[in-house]
Amino acid sequence: MAALRLANKFGCDTIGIQYQQGLNELTPASDLVEGLLNNTERPPVRDEQGVEIIAGKALPHFNEVDECAGLDSLITYKLWEKLGLVGDNTLHDLRYGENFTVNGKEEFVWVFLISGAAPPSHFIGGYKGASSDRQPPMYFPLGGGSLKGVSKPGHIVWSRIYVMDDQLHCDLGTGKVVELPAEETQRRWDMTTPEWPIMHGVLDGVTRDQMMARHKANHIHVVYATDKASALDACYAKAAAMNELGIKTSLCGL
């Protein structure tokens, strides 16, 4: 309620709760809230006069003080709405990856993981597939809840906006989310942070070493499309939009 009311009061189209700039020592983590804010279907919030704030819409939220992710999230949400797609999106950490056989083919499957800002619409089962675990004390000594789930299979557009040579850059491409056996998902969770939401990502045309060579942050931004063709169309549309905005854009693996 506080986040939506503040955004409404000051005319913010995207927000970030910057608890990792020291606030995590003073207050519980806000990742559960962040995930709900990134979801189109979320609990309603009304202003002081009783008027619902941006009814039926997400308030794009960027995690971990990453303003570039906030810019990416807002552009994506608005563009996907124009394209008739569901614009619920999130950033993830690029944690690591391993080869795994998916539908008879060996793929390099990344572990995308974030402390809780992923929307329930990304999860297998939606809200029914979501849970909230206490945040690990190592990162968040005062606790707070995550928004945890396993991301559903489907086609995605991935991107990263970052600053290089005093200019905004955007790398983007397409990929897919695959479903791994429950025991493999748990193994990967146990090696990283099992309290956090997980996405098993396969990127089109980009190897592990290429991705890491171009790596500018441990963040990757993801959004779903309805199928492979719509993901490709949306990716090209997003690249054109970024380029028109003066952001130096690179299509990766396409």
Side-chain angles (χ1 to χ4, degrees):
M1 290 174 65
L4 275 159
R5 286 180 174 183
L6 282 167
N8 187 51
K9 179 178 180 179
F10 293 101
C12 300
D13 291 314
T14 182
I15 65 167
I17 300 170
Q18 300 186 357
Y19 60 83
Q20 289 181 325
Q21 295 288 79
L23 285 176
N24 60 321
E25 303 293 330
L26 303 174
T27 186
S30 57
D31 296 271
L32 176 58
V33 170
E34 296 165 16
L36 293 174
L37 289 172
N38 280 334
N39 208 67
T40 303
E41 295 184 28
R42 55 171 176 76
V45 172
R46 302 181 185 278
D47 64 17
E48 290 84 349
Q49 286 73 45
V51 179
E52 188 172 351
I53 300 170
I54 55 171
K57 293 181 179 292
L59 175 63
H61 188 287
F62 60 91
N63 190 279
E64 298 183 359
V65 206
D66 189 341
E67 285 98 340
C68 286
L71 174 61
D72 199 345
S73 182
L74 178 61
I75 292 171
T76 301
Y77 189 74
K78 288 184 174 294
L79 179 59
W80 257 235
E81 189 176 37
K82 293 285 188 184
L83 295 172
L85 300 171
V86 177
D88 297 358
N89 61 77
T90 186
L91 61 81
H92 275 286
D93 291 338
L94 273 167
R95 291 298 287 269
Y96 89 106
E98 289 185 35
N99 286 352
F100 197 86
T101 301
V102 180
N103 297 325
K105 180 183 177 183
E106 189 170 279
E107 305 264 25
F108 185 81
V109 183
W110 288 95
V111 174
F112 298 154
L113 207 71
I114 194 61
S115 52
S121 60
H122 281 197
F123 300 155
I124 297 171
Y127 274 105
K128 289 183 179 179
S131 60
S132 182
D133 289 0
R134 188 206 187 278
Q135 287 283 15
M138 180 174 71
Y139 302 115
F140 306 104
L142 297 183
S146 61
L147 186 49
K148 174 183 174 179
V150 180
S151 292
K152 62 189 178 184
H155 294 275
I156 58 171
V157 176
W158 67 268
S159 53
R160 289 191 298 210
I161 294 180
Y162 54 92
V163 179
M164 183 171 68
D165 300 328
D166 296 323
Q167 183 178 358
L168 282 172
H169 289 250
C170 176
D171 296 345
L172 73 168
T174 59
K176 61 185 177 183
V177 181
V178 297
E179 187 172 0
L180 300 184
E183 58 271 20
E184 176 63 14
T185 296
Q186 192 60 53
R187 187 184 73 87
R188 290 172 176 238
W189 250 334
D190 290 341
M191 287 196 296
T192 51
T193 312
E195 295 86 355
W196 295 355
I198 191 170
M199 175 178 278
H200 304 306
V202 177
L203 304 183
D204 294 330
V206 179
T207 67
R208 179 198 67 178
D209 291 352
Q210 287 171 330
M211 192 68 175
M212 299 311 296
R214 184 71 168 167
H215 201 43
K216 300 299 178 184
N218 74 321
H219 287 166
I220 185 169
H221 179 268
V222 293
V223 61
Y224 280 90
T226 53
D227 52 31
K228 187 171 184 176
S230 67
L232 192 60
D233 288 345
C235 183
Y236 286 139
K238 186 172 178 178
M242 293 288 187
N243 194 58
E244 282 291 312
L245 289 167
I247 299 171
K248 188 172 178 60
T249 304
S250 300
L251 287 165
C252 303
L254 302 178

